[in-house]
Amino acid sequence: MTKILTGGVGKTEVAKTISDLGIDTLTVTVSSDMDAAMKLRGRQADYYLGTCHTGAGASLGVLVGLVGAVKCHTFGRSVPTEEEVSALLAEGKIVFGFAIDQIDVIAPVMARAIAARG
């Protein structure tokens, strides 16, 4: 089972969007950024999806500092394809940020790409 934590201003919406997909290999939990950082570092969770109004940085501020920039990626205003997300996952990225107004598009792409990794 792959555990995804959600945070930021749209954390509840991201969790609901992913849960509504019905992907049985994923569990989604609403979290705070600080709790998520500790759980990721302690290997109690696998991924973090954070949202803010621009998707450019506030969604990941604490995570960048505590997990490390090399494991983080923000999409800003761009909408990634599943292939782009898969490539980032293959590089070892586990923390992702995106804009709150793109949850309905990006969260499903993220969930499918994460689920495909097994």
Side-chain angles (χ1 to χ4, degrees):
M1 187 68 67
T2 302
K3 186 167 188 174
I4 299 172
L5 303 175
T6 66
V9 294
K11 60 188 172 189
T12 303
E13 293 88 344
V14 173
K16 181 180 180 341
T17 300
I18 293 173
S19 293
D20 287 351
L21 295 172
I23 301 172
D24 60 2
T25 58
L26 302 178
T27 60
V28 186
T29 304
V30 174
S31 181
S32 70
D33 51 2
M34 205 51 174
D35 187 51
M38 295 298 104
K39 286 183 177 174
L40 288 167
R41 287 176 61 166
R43 300 188 194 273
Q44 296 171 322
D46 301 296
Y47 298 97
Y48 174 83
L49 305 180
T51 52
C52 68
H53 291 285
T54 64
S59 58
L60 304 182
V62 170
L63 282 293
V64 169
L66 295 177
V67 177
V70 70
K71 293 187 178 192
C72 300
H73 180 81
T74 183
F75 294 109
R77 297 295 310 157
S78 66
V79 176
T81 64
E82 195 170 320
E83 293 75 25
E84 290 168 327
V85 174
S86 294
L88 291 166
L89 295 171
E91 290 173 18
K93 306 291 185 192
I94 60 170
V95 175
F96 297 90
F98 51 95
I100 190 171
D101 64 339
Q102 296 176 319
I103 290 172
D104 61 330
V105 178
I106 296 179
V109 169
M110 294 296 308
R112 286 188 209 97
I114 289 169
R117 287 188 60 84

